[in-house]
Amino acid sequence: MSQTIIMQPTVTISPFGTTPNGDAISAYTLTNNHGTQAVVINFGAILQSLKTQDKNGDFADIVLGFEELEPYLTNPTYFGATIGRFGNRIGNGQCEIDGEIYTFLQNNGTNHLHGGAEGFDKKVWQAEAVSDANSAGVVLTLVSPDGDQGYPGTLTVKCEYHLTNDDELVIKYTANTDKTTIINLTNHSYFNLKEQGTILDHLLEIPSSKLTPVDDNMLPTGEIRDITGTPFDFTTAKTIGQDIDADDEQLKIGAGYDHNYYFDKADGELSLVAKTTEPVSGRVLAIYTTEPGFQLYTGNFIGDDLSGKGRQYGKYAGFCVEPQHVPDAPNKPMFKSTLLTPEQTYTSEMRYVFSVVK
């Protein structure tokens, strides 16, 4: 009688190029006992690759990205990146912290976007492989000095990736500061569950009927809007492309979906916020987070000249679900605070859960 051999989760480390400053970058390949595989590089704490099975048992890489380091050095689309200190936008590139006005680089019109020109996505992180009987992982750490990109306080950050035998990719963030600062970390992976083509035929379900609408500068107006029955309503699963070209003011501002969905839930509660199914491959991706919301972005501005991993990208080549606090929260007191004081520890968790339907 044959005996089934169950492979233990493994982490392998390989070179992934050298930065212009001479820092050697490594790729950490996490493999679970199903053969699901995630690759994380310690430049930008980036999720470089994520291979999951389809309904026929065939593996494919379902995140957009590049095969080599050089394109990640600029990475204007933020493929796979860990975003910090502050994900999304801060209006007019400034906010008040402890009674003092801080000014940040305006790198998105008049907005400060994704932590600035050298945010966490452009940093070299320290990395350590970890594994146990149920998961393979890598723990990345970064010390962001006082004044980094204009932010106050020395911030010590930990970003953990754990790929479990339950086909969950768990991402955890913790951070501490020695001076009051703001923080809003997220992951900026773009998913395409069929690997090639657009994501317009992916079925998406979002169990929230609330959204924070934006003004012409893509900043939340301060309103929490009921979106029942609008093109933004995904409470019943529908394709991403069904209403993306609808005659809707918010869709025109974002050139598609580029908006923050809002959830009423307790702080720190891990809950389902989005579920996507790709009918042809049968792949299903469910996303859980402790954050109060997420930014849905449908790749509206991915350039047609962009390519990687043997694929040609372009508009709608991938979609992002970026768990986070409300954009521009430091300037919008009606939303939950993103302040972090020296007495506090920042924590955040998200989970990508993979499955298939026949």
Side-chain angles (χ1 to χ4, degrees):
M1 185 169 64
S2 64
Q3 184 176 8
T4 301
I5 299 174
I6 299 177
M7 181 180 67
Q8 293 297 308
T10 61
V11 184
T12 58
I13 306 171
S14 56
F16 199 79
T18 305
T19 70
N21 292 332
D23 295 303
I25 302 303
S26 296
Y28 293 76
T29 300
L30 320 178
T31 307
N32 72 6
N33 65 2
H34 301 150
T36 304
Q37 196 173 83
V39 180
V40 177
I41 61 174
N42 67 310
F43 181 82
I46 286 169
L47 179 61
Q48 184 266 338
S49 173
L50 183 58
K51 294 179 180 177
T52 69
Q53 295 185 72
D54 67 7
K55 63 186 179 183
N56 299 315
D58 297 324
F59 285 87
D61 188 351
I62 61 169
V63 293
L64 276 55
F66 308 108
E67 292 178 313
E68 53 195 26
L69 178 62
E70 186 178 6
Y72 285 116
L73 298 175
T74 51
N75 196 14
T77 47
Y78 300 93
F79 282 162
T82 294
I83 302 296
R85 280 188 199 189
F86 199 92
N88 220 304
R89 297 167 176 85
I90 298 177
N92 296 315
Q94 64 179 31
C95 70
E96 182 179 315
I97 303 172
D98 268 1
E100 183 175 343
I101 299 295
Y102 287 86
T103 301
F104 314 108
L105 175 70
Q106 295 180 354
N107 59 333
N108 174 246
T110 58
N111 302 319
H112 174 73
L113 179 67
H114 290 338
E118 294 184 22
F120 291 176
D121 61 298
K122 302 296 191 301
K123 306 288 191 183
V124 177
W125 295 61
Q126 299 300 308
E128 178 184 3
V130 294
S131 63
D132 57 32
N134 189 55
S135 69
V138 58
V139 178
L140 303 110
T141 55
L142 178 71
V143 177
S144 174
D146 184 28
D148 185 11
Q149 307 304 299
Y151 292 90
T154 298
L155 189 74
T156 303
V157 187
K158 182 187 292 185
C159 170
E160 304 178 43
Y161 288 87
H162 300 277
L163 178 63
T164 76
N165 288 337
D166 296 322
D167 276 342
E168 296 181 340
L169 182 61
V170 181
I171 304 176
K172 296 180 179 180
Y173 302 118
T174 54
N176 295 95
T177 183
D178 64 359
K179 185 178 181 180
T180 301
T181 190
I182 54 173
I183 185 169
N184 190 27
L185 304 183
T186 193
N187 181 277
H188 209 299
S189 289
Y190 291 70
F191 293 93
N192 187 321
L193 302 186
K194 62 180 181 182
E195 190 178 23
Q196 304 264 6
T198 78
I199 45 80
L200 296 180
D201 56 355
H202 285 46
L203 289 165
L204 177 62
E205 183 177 354
I206 301 173
S208 173
S209 58
K210 295 182 178 180
L211 180 127
T212 54
V214 294
D215 61 21
D216 289 339
N217 288 323
M218 292 297 295
L219 296 171
T221 61
E223 177 190 0
I224 298 174
R225 181 178 297 177
D226 188 319
I227 51 172
T228 302
T230 76
F232 288 87
D233 186 351
F234 286 91
T235 52
T236 299
K238 66 180 181 182
T239 64
I240 291 174
Q242 177 175 314
D243 297 320
I244 202 167
D245 293 320
D247 185 12
D248 180 276
E249 179 189 10
Q250 288 293 305
L251 285 172
K252 291 176 182 176
I253 292 174
Y257 296 106
D258 191 3
H259 293 75
N260 177 72
Y261 281 79
Y262 186 88
F263 290 78
D264 286 321
K265 61 177 184 172
D267 290 345
E269 176 190 345
L270 185 69
S271 59
L272 177 71
V273 293
K275 182 179 180 181
T276 310
T277 304
E278 201 287 299
V280 176
S281 68
R283 287 189 181 89
V284 180
L285 169 64
I287 300 176
Y288 295 75
T289 181
T290 57
E291 292 294 297
F294 70 87
Q295 188 86 359
L296 173 65
Y297 175 53
T298 46
N300 315 324
F301 297 104
I302 302 175
D304 292 334
D305 57 342
L306 200 59
S307 61
K309 302 179 180 179
R311 309 178 219 169
Q312 195 68 33
Y313 298 136
K315 189 175 183 180
Y316 307 143
F319 72 94
C320 303
V321 169
E322 307 161 55
Q324 57 190 260
H325 275 55
V326 178
D328 201 32
N331 295 310
K332 299 289 195 306
M334 68 285 296
F335 299 129
K336 291 181 178 179
S337 173
T338 54
L339 287 173
L340 179 67
T341 69
E343 296 77 30
Q344 298 171 315
T345 295
Y346 169 88
T347 61
S348 181
E349 180 177 336
M350 69 182 80
R351 294 188 184 188
Y352 302 133
V353 182
F354 316 106
S355 59
V356 293
V357 290
K358 300 293 186 179

